[in-house]
Amino acid sequence: MFCAIVAGEAPAAVVTETDEVIAFLDVRPMSEGHTLVVPKRHAARLADLPAEDGARMFALGHRLARAARDGGLRADAVNLVVNDGRAAFQTVDHVHLHVIPRFAGDKRAVLRRFLRRKPRTSDGAAALLRDALPD
């Protein structure tokens, strides 16, 4: 699934990309602006991921976390999460970093969405994040 997005064969609300990684909005977000950072080189698990690709993935995740807090989303906090393996809730066999903006008082809503995630209704958060990305 993510390889098709990387290849431009599947639609995605792309926030930003480099030659090595791509960031796009999650189709079933935990919160507004929930973004996935995906290495373009396929690796199913962290053990398969070259260290330099992991470093690039986390570097972009760091930039996106700053954009979520400092930009138009105005997040109060951010979770950075990697689910590595089925027992850790990994549902796509391609390593990816979740950048989940958090807002004061959202714990109950986030837990509810974790159990029953709904499709994203707008791509507007992609523009907010893109505009706020630090260099």
Side-chain angles (χ1 to χ4, degrees), residues 51-111:
E52 62 273 11
D53 287 352
R56 290 180 184 112
M57 180 178 70
F58 275 92
L60 182 52
H62 178 258
R63 289 181 59 220
L64 286 162
R66 289 180 55 201
R69 291 185 77 143
D70 299 340
L73 283 179
R74 302 171 80 153
D76 296 308
V78 178
N79 286 121
L80 298 176
V81 178
V82 173
N83 300 326
D84 187 34
R86 293 277 183 246
F89 304 112
Q90 183 179 4
T91 58
V92 177
D93 287 327
H94 193 130
V95 172
H96 55 287
L97 173 67
H98 293 262
V99 181
I100 307 169
R102 300 295 304 274
F103 303 89
D106 74 351
K107 287 180 186 172
R108 189 167 279 168
V110 167
L111 287 174

